[in-house]
């Protein structure tokens, strides 16, 4: 019991460390490239950026982000659970503090002239870096608040990519930036950020949950299955088949595993039976115990 509690505590501490790292990267992408280039992305951060520029930079992004996100805290508690609510509060406060640190304290926007890079490069770099940051936070249940919460709520109940949900919301927010800058060019660069951010976010999330179906034809299928269960947290199914040519009974091992388990499984197969016939296939989704919960 004590060991289980200790492992759970260590897991929680590690998840908060990952969230801290991810949100730091996310806000760096904004503070280093997007805000100095006067380009607005979507989400609550995008709304905060619009307020920031509309008030001639008198209201910091961190302050607006904290105030606007307050209403989403209740939503997070109600629909995503108290555990996630704690991470949501942490993410919202941390994101706001990061923005204040990068902008008001360290003045990252003054480190170099972004005009040397150009708005297009700033949009690509800012969108990619912020997408990586949010993707890292998402993998351990964290987020920066705002429309990220909406994306996670929808993803909890439906098989819709969080990046796709954010895409639709961000279209409207970025479009509203035209009324601040009165330049269609800024809006177009905002959409460049949106596409880049969405692609990188989905890559981060789907990449961490990529699954494989490994089918093994070997007379040592039982031994390989035992090794798989011993060295990974995955189960294995032993199927009974028959060779079409020989007519002899044959055992077939089938394993469903995440990409992190694949090298361990392949090593076990090669070690026990180097001559085994192995088929490895990518699968679109795996639902059930040990994997994802099916969402209708």
């Amino acid at each position: 019991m004590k060991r289980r509690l200790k492992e759970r505590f260590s897991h929680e501490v590690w998840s908060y460390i990952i969230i801290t790292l991810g949100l730091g990267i996310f806000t760096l992408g904004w503070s280093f490239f997007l805000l100095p280039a006067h380009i607005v992305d979507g989400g609550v951060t995008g709304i905060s950026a619009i307020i920031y520029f509309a008030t001639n930079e008198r209201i910091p992004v961190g302050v607006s982000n904290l105030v606007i996100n307050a209403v989403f805290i209740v939503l997070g508690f109600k629909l995503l659970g108290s555990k996630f609510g704690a991470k949501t509060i942490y993410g919202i406060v941390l994101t706001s503090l990061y923005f204040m640190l990068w902008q008001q304290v360290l003045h990252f926007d003054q480190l170099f002239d972004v005009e040397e890079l150009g708005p297009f490069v700033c949009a690509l770099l800012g969108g990619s870096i912020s997408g990586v940051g949010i993707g890292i936070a998402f993998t351990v249940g964290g987020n920066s608040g705002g429309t990220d919460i909406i994306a996670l709520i929808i993803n909890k109940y439906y098989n819709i990519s969080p990046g796709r949900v954010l895409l639709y919301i961000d279209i409207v927010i970025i479009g509203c930036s035209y009324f601040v800058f009165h330049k269609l060019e800024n809006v177009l660069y905002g959409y460049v950020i949106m596409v880049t951010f969405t692609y990188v976010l989905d890559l981060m999330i789907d990449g961490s949950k990529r699954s494989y179906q490994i089918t093994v034809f070997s007379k040592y299928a039982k031994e390989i299955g035992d090794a798989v269960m011993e060295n990974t947290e995955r189960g294995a199914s032993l199927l009974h088949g028959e060779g079409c040519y020989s007519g002899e009974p044959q055992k077939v091992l089938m394993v469903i595993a995440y990409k992190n388990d694949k090298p361990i499984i392949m090593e076990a197969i090669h070690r026990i039976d180097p001559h085994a016939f192995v088929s490895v296939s990518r699968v679109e989704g795996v639902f059930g115990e040990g994997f994802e919960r099916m969402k209708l």
Side-chain angles (χ1 to χ4, degrees):
M1 183 65 178
K2 290 183 179 180
R3 182 180 178 182
R4 184 177 298 178
L5 290 175
K6 186 177 180 180
E7 291 178 352
R8 185 175 180 181
F9 177 76
S10 299
H11 176 75
E12 284 297 298
V13 171
W14 178 249
S15 68
Y16 276 93
I17 292 174
I18 296 299
I19 293 172
T20 302
L21 173 64
L23 295 182
I25 296 173
F26 166 70
T27 52
L28 269 179
W30 270 88
S31 302
F32 211 89
F33 296 103
L34 303 185
L35 294 175
H38 289 193
I39 308 175
V40 173
D41 192 12
V44 170
T45 308
I47 299 174
S48 301
I50 291 176
I51 295 174
Y52 175 68
F53 292 119
T55 59
N56 293 321
E57 304 182 1
R58 285 192 292 266
I59 300 179
V61 174
V63 174
S64 298
N65 185 77
L66 185 61
V67 173
I68 295 173
N69 270 299
V71 68
F72 288 100
I73 295 177
V74 177
L75 191 63
F77 266 112
K78 184 175 181 181
L79 298 179
L80 299 175
S82 59
K83 178 181 178 181
F84 190 88
K87 291 183 178 179
T88 299
I89 296 174
Y90 179 77
I92 291 172
V93 174
L94 186 64
T95 299
S96 301
L97 291 177
Y98 266 134
F99 272 118
M100 295 176 190
L101 175 65
W102 304 147
Q103 286 190 282
Q104 278 68 52
V105 179
L106 300 180
H107 301 286
F108 269 25
D109 55 336
Q110 301 176 10
L111 289 181
F112 68 95
D113 189 0
V114 294
E115 292 183 1
E116 297 179 1
L117 296 176
F120 183 73
V121 175
C122 287
L124 288 179
L125 290 175
S128 299
I129 293 173
S130 60
V132 168
I134 286 295
I136 292 173
F138 267 17
T139 57
V140 291
N143 69 97
S144 64
T147 54
D148 296 338
I149 299 177
I150 297 176
L152 290 176
I153 290 174
I154 295 177
N155 179 252
K156 178 180 179 180
Y157 297 102
Y158 302 96
N159 287 320
I160 302 177
S161 162
R164 183 172 298 178
V165 177
L166 292 171
L167 175 68
Y168 300 143
I169 299 174
D170 292 349
I171 288 176
V172 177
I173 296 174
I174 295 172
C176 291
S177 68
Y178 176 80
F179 300 103
V180 176
F181 303 114
H182 302 289
K183 292 182 180 179
L184 184 60
E185 179 183 4
N186 291 63
V187 178
L188 293 177
Y189 286 130
Y191 288 133
V192 171
I193 300 170
M194 178 187 68
V195 174
T196 306
F197 177 88
T198 303
Y199 175 79
V200 174
L201 174 61
D202 282 346
L203 188 65
M204 292 289 295
I205 295 176
D206 292 339
S208 66
K209 297 179 180 178
R210 187 174 297 168
S211 302
Y212 293 89
Q213 176 178 302
I214 302 174
T215 307
V216 184
F217 298 84
S218 170
K219 60 182 179 180
Y220 300 106
K222 179 65 168 63
E223 290 82 352
I224 295 173
D226 292 338
V228 168
M229 291 187 292
E230 180 180 349
N231 297 306
T232 70
E233 295 182 356
R234 301 296 158 203
S237 297
L238 195 61
L239 310 178
H240 298 278
E242 180 180 316
C244 290
Y245 178 77
S246 64
E248 296 180 357
Q250 187 174 25
K251 292 182 180 180
V252 181
L253 182 72
M254 186 175 70
V255 183
I256 304 293
Y258 281 139
K259 68 172 186 177
N260 294 335
D261 298 318
K262 180 187 169 188
I264 301 175
I265 296 173
M266 298 302 291
E267 188 278 330
I269 296 172
H270 184 268
R271 172 168 45 85
I272 297 173
D273 185 4
H275 304 291
F277 185 85
V278 183
S279 172
V280 180
S281 305
R282 283 274 306 276
V283 294
E284 289 295 327
V286 182
F287 307 99
E289 184 177 353
F291 290 91
E292 297 299 299
R293 183 174 63 86
M294 186 175 294
K295 306 162 190 173
L296 303 178

